[in-house]
Structure formats: structure tokens, C-alpha cells
Amino acid sequence: MKLWGGRFTKETNQLVHNFNASISFDQKFYVQDIRGSIAHVTMLAKQGILNDEEKNKIIDGLNGIRDDIESGSLVIDSTYEDIHSFVEAHLISRIGEIGKKLHTGRSRNDQVALDMKLYTRDEITILDELLRELLFELFSLMKEHTETYMPGFTHLQKAQPITLSHHMSAYFEMFRRDRDRLSDIFNRMNTCPLGAGALAGTTYPLDRDYTASLLSFTEPTRNSMDSVSDRDYLIELLSALSTIMMHLSRFSEEIIIWNTNEYRFVEIDDAYSTGSSIMPQKKNPDIAELVRGKTGRVYGALMSLLTTMKGLPLAYNKDMQEDKELTFDAIDTVKGCLSLFTGMIRTMKFNRDTMKSSAVLGFTNATDAADYLVNHGVAFRDAHGIIGHLVLTCIEKNCSIEDLSLTELQAISPVFKEDIYDAISLKTCVEKRNTIGGPGVDAMNDVIMASGKYLENYPSLS
């Protein structure tokens, strides 16, 4: 069954049908299609366009179709052009002529716009919960590791000492922003296109506000042409998903580096690692690598939809059918990556002693040594040069700054006193950085408290 064809005298060429059909992928939102149809006929009955008997028969028929699809007794097949024609055809076969009244006052254009919005809104809710779970894992690490010292990096070079808590907090902020972006998109897209018709509304006395309320939208859309041709919310979502994947990829890259034999900062659990078919000693961080790799796949969906939309005149064009597979794949990819990544970091072990040793041997306290000289009257530029010479001495001796004796330190600068060793200890270096956003325990405890309140009070999108 097609939802059109009265003015055609020939059957559609099979290749054309296959090329044009969308049921292979839009069957994904059969639940949303049926939900939208139930809301539509409920509104039609309220407005007197259908009577209560017709409404009840149609709703019972739609519920039966949904239940049969879910039980497996009704299989969605490719002989239909799309999910809309599949549902309507089966409705008519079950309840007869009354089923033909389902489509009164709507077009397939506003129907598909509604289904895609309902589906996307549902998926954003799931994505939000997955991000929340990841944030809780990061929050747990933040609380546990306020005194786990490690090197902070710039240019992948050891720079200054921080804590693992501070490092995890940086990713907490990234994924918190990701969650806020999803919330923004959810709220901005939460308008109902049903009732826009093909592009110019309808002559039936529809109550679009009522339909919107039945489907938990904040309001109906305000322009019928924009209603059926708007894909901004999908572009926004794909952009947000790309940013999530970028953050996951950055994190994955660090885990891959930290997992190397040269770093040994972390040990990934066996359940989230794989081996080699030829090298029995190997334990590969494949989950982190695949997350990093799948980032390009999500970027591709964003660029593809932007390219599809850039030349389209108002209102609906068939090109827009290309939005679905791209979006479905990107959403599924990000959901899978978030779930696996959260499980990986939940089971990952951190080698505290190795991380601390790396910070010590990497001269991450060099800046603090320079600050020590400045606090004892040396100009910063001179202090910078003295510490640079000091680091060269340590490299030649293959030792850390604190391994040098006071005599060796004073040979480079007589300003050094016994208190230099306390001034450049990792604990002191970190603890002195207690302004908001710094790695000091007090500063981190304030951030942890604020982050905990955020997780407790952030409103659910559902």
C-alpha cells in the first residue's frame, strides 16, 4: 500500500521503489509513529472531526499493531514504502474503512517530522542518562584521588604536578558541558510539527496546542513551512554528539598512552582489553582505540547532513530522508561508546606510585623551584635561568632536583636553603595551588562538593 498513487497509471519501477523506500530504516520509530497517530485521532475526536467510536476503534487497532510488532507476531517488511504506510495498511486491514480516516488533517510530511522529533527526543533522554553515569564515575575518581600525584602535561611534555582528581575533574567539566548542550537541544526542539500539513497547514479545525500537550511538547511549531523542513535540531544534535566523541577520543588517547609499557599509569581490566593472534604477551586497549576511531564516523554524519541541507529550497524535499540513517547511526555509536567507556574506567586500575615517580623524575616542580628563588629576592627572569641550569645538571646526573644535596644546589645558586626541599615536594607544589580550579586538596574539595550538588540536582530530561 502507498499513501499516494491516485493520479498514477503505472506501477513504480521496482528499482525506483527500492531507492525511494525508507522502511528499512524508518521502521526504527514505529513506536513514535503509533504514538503520534493516537494523539492525532484523539485531537480529531475532540474537535468533532471523528466521533468517539471511530477514535476508539482506530486507537485499539493502533495499540494492537504496536503490541504485535513488539511480540514478533507482526513483522515489518520491505514491501511497504515506509513505516507510515505499513501501519496504516495494517490498520485498515484490521478495522476496515474507519482506518482510512486516520490520515485526516495531516500529511506524511508533518507525520515524519513528528516521528523524527519524538524519536530524537527519546534518544536524547537516553544519551543524557549515559552521560550522567559517566559523570558519576568521574566524580567517584575525583573523590578518591585528591592526593594521588601525577604529572600534568603541555605539548605531551611533563609540566607541573597535579593530582589524578584534578585531571579527572577536567573531563568532568567537559562532559558536564556536553550534558548541558543536550539539555539545550532538547528544550529548543521541543515543539510539535503535527498539524503543519504538507507545508501550508490544513482547513480542518485542528487544535494544535492540544496535540502538542498530548505528546508532551511545550507548544506547536509556529510556521508550517519550517515545521516540515526543519532539520536544525538534528544538525545541533550531531554537532553535540561530535563534541562528546571528541572528548571521549581525547580521554581515550590519554588512556592509550597511560597504558603503554613506557608510562604504566593505568592497567585496563581484562574484560575491556584484547590480545594478539601472534604475540602472546600483548594486552591491547582496543576499546579506547575503537572509541577514538569511531569519532570520525560521527563527524561524518554531521558533515553529511550539513551538506545535504545546504542547497534545499523550502519546504520539504526528498533529500531530507537522508537525515535518518545518519542520525540513527551516530546516536547508536555514541550510546555504545559512552556505555563501554564508562565500564572501562570503572574497572581500570591506577598505578599511584608510578604516576608519582613520573612527576618527580619529570622536573614538574621546576616552576616551584623558580618561585622559591623569586620569593627570596631573585628576579623571575634570573630565577628561570638558574633553574634551567639546575635541570641540566640533574639530567647529567640522571636524578631529580630533590636528589641533589644542598651543597650541589648552592653551587648553582647560594640563595637555596634547607627549606628548598619542602618547597619543591609534590605535596607542597600541589597544596600551594588552592585557588578555585587548582589541584590543591581544599580547592578540589570545593569543586567536588559543587559537582556532587550538580549531579544530585540536575533535572532529568524525561
Side-chain angles (χ1 to χ4, degrees):
M1 175 189 169
K2 291 183 174 66
L3 300 182
W4 51 273
R7 61 96 67 212
F8 288 79
T9 58
K10 291 183 178 180
E11 287 295 316
T12 306
N13 179 282
Q14 188 59 46
L15 289 176
V16 172
H17 171 83
N18 295 342
F19 189 68
N20 188 58
S22 59
I23 196 165
S24 63
F25 48 85
D26 70 14
Q27 63 179 276
K28 202 176 186 81
F29 47 55
Y30 73 88
V31 171
Q32 289 79 14
D33 191 73
I34 291 172
R35 183 184 174 199
S37 292
I38 289 173
H40 182 63
V41 298
T42 301
M43 180 274 298
L44 292 178
K46 172 182 173 293
Q47 295 301 98
I49 300 168
L50 296 180
N51 61 45
D52 285 342
E53 181 183 358
E54 291 169 329
K55 177 194 76 172
N56 292 334
K57 284 187 176 180
I58 292 173
I59 290 176
D60 288 345
L62 290 169
N63 284 329
I65 291 170
R66 183 198 59 226
D67 293 344
D68 289 348
I69 293 173
E70 291 176 349
S71 71
S73 61
L74 177 61
V75 178
I76 301 172
D77 66 80
S78 60
T79 58
Y80 297 88
E81 185 178 357
D82 50 37
I83 190 61
H84 323 298
S85 57
F86 173 86
V87 170
E88 188 168 329
H90 280 275
L91 180 68
I92 293 169
S93 71
R94 293 184 179 201
I95 68 171
E97 291 295 306
I98 292 175
K100 295 179 179 179
K101 296 187 176 185
L102 169 64
H103 208 54
T104 306
R106 75 176 181 185
S107 163
R108 188 166 49 167
N109 291 358
D110 60 345
Q111 185 179 2
V112 71
L114 172 70
D115 290 358
M116 195 61 180
K117 273 199 170 182
L118 289 173
Y119 180 84
T120 302
R121 196 176 65 178
D122 290 343
E123 292 297 304
I124 287 176
T125 301
I126 296 170
L127 287 161
D128 174 73
E129 181 57 31
L130 289 170
L131 279 171
R132 182 174 174 273
E133 290 175 11
L134 175 55
L135 286 169
F136 266 110
E137 289 304 320
L138 293 173
F139 181 65
S140 177
L141 292 172
M142 288 161 60
K143 291 191 295 182
E144 182 182 353
H145 292 286
T146 56
E147 296 185 58
T148 300
Y149 301 115
M150 65 176 291
F153 295 82
T154 62
H155 310 281
L156 264 184
Q157 302 292 308
K158 296 173 187 177
Q160 291 179 304
I162 59 169
T163 64
L164 182 58
S165 176
H166 192 234
H167 200 105
M168 294 298 106
S169 176
Y171 283 107
F172 186 97
E173 294 302 316
M174 293 184 207
F175 292 115
R176 173 176 173 163
R177 292 193 297 271
D178 288 329
R179 198 175 180 208
D180 290 344
R181 268 186 282 271
L182 289 182
S183 178
D184 289 342
I185 295 165
F186 184 97
N187 292 329
R188 190 161 35 253
M189 68 170 285
N190 202 26
T191 55
C192 182
L194 195 57
L199 80 158
T202 176
T203 58
Y204 292 97
L206 308 183
D207 186 342
R208 294 193 62 212
D209 287 291
Y210 180 64
T211 305
S213 68
L214 289 175
L215 295 168
S216 301
F217 288 102
T218 54
E219 61 181 342
T221 51
R222 290 185 289 272
N223 182 281
S224 57
M225 295 179 74
D226 181 58
S227 300
V228 297
S229 61
D230 169 35
R231 296 299 183 271
D232 289 2
Y233 68 98
L234 295 179
I235 292 170
E236 285 189 67
L237 176 60
L238 291 175
S239 177
L241 295 182
S242 295
T243 305
I244 291 170
M245 289 301 297
M246 179 266 289
H247 291 154
L248 286 174
S249 184
R250 292 182 69 183
F251 205 163
S252 293
E253 174 72 6
E254 292 198 318
I255 289 171
I256 292 163
I257 292 171
W258 291 355
N259 186 65
T260 60
N261 292 331
E262 289 72 22
Y263 275 78
R264 291 178 295 147
F265 283 8
V266 301
E267 181 180 348
I268 300 174
D269 191 83
D270 286 357
Y272 291 88
S273 305
T274 62
S276 165
S277 63
I278 189 173
M279 296 170 284
Q281 84 280 12
K282 294 291 294 297
K283 182 177 177 181
N284 300 324
D286 279 10
I287 297 303
E289 290 176 359
L290 278 171
V291 169
R292 186 177 60 182
K294 287 180 182 293
T295 300
R297 182 175 183 149
V298 178
Y299 287 5
L302 171 61
M303 293 311 301
S304 189
L305 186 55
L306 281 168
T307 304
T308 296
M309 293 299 298
K310 78 175 184 67
L312 298 186
L314 289 173
Y316 179 79
N317 297 271
K318 192 70 171 183
D319 314 48
M320 294 176 186
Q321 182 171 289
E322 289 298 299
D323 66 344
K324 293 171 190 61
E325 288 178 285
L326 298 169
T327 303
F328 295 159
D329 183 75
I331 289 172
D332 289 344
T333 298
V334 176
K335 282 163 51 179
C337 288
L338 282 170
S339 180
L340 285 166
F341 192 90
T342 300
M344 180 177 66
I345 66 168
R346 182 185 294 126
T347 56
M348 197 161 58
K349 294 180 180 178
F350 294 90
N351 300 321
R352 301 183 191 215
D353 291 342
T354 303
M355 297 168 88
K356 182 177 180 179
S357 177
S358 179
V360 170
L361 295 175
F363 308 111
T364 59
N365 53 3
T367 302
D368 294 85
D371 289 342
Y372 172 90
L373 293 176
V374 170
N375 289 330
H376 286 73
V378 179
F380 178 77
R381 189 52 56 207
D382 292 334
H384 189 283
I386 291 168
I387 300 305
H389 180 56
L390 181 61
V391 168
L392 280 176
T393 299
C394 290
I395 291 173
E396 290 171 1
K397 293 178 176 291
N398 193 28
C399 68
S400 66
I401 295 174
E402 47 267 68
D403 287 335
L404 295 176
S405 68
L406 184 58
T407 301
E408 290 173 309
L409 290 171
Q410 289 179 335
I412 296 171
S413 173
V415 176
F416 287 120
K417 305 298 179 187
E418 189 67 39
D419 61 348
I420 179 61
Y421 295 105
D422 179 64
I424 63 173
S425 72
L426 289 186
K427 182 176 178 62
T428 301
C429 293
V430 170
E431 284 305 304
K432 286 192 300 185
R433 289 170 165 81
N434 250 322
T435 54
I436 188 71
V441 172
D442 290 342
M444 276 308 306
N445 282 337
D446 288 343
V447 169
I448 288 168
M449 183 179 296
S451 300
K453 289 180 179 177
Y454 162 82
L455 290 172
E456 289 174 9
N457 300 324
Y458 195 91
S460 173
L461 296 182
S462 58

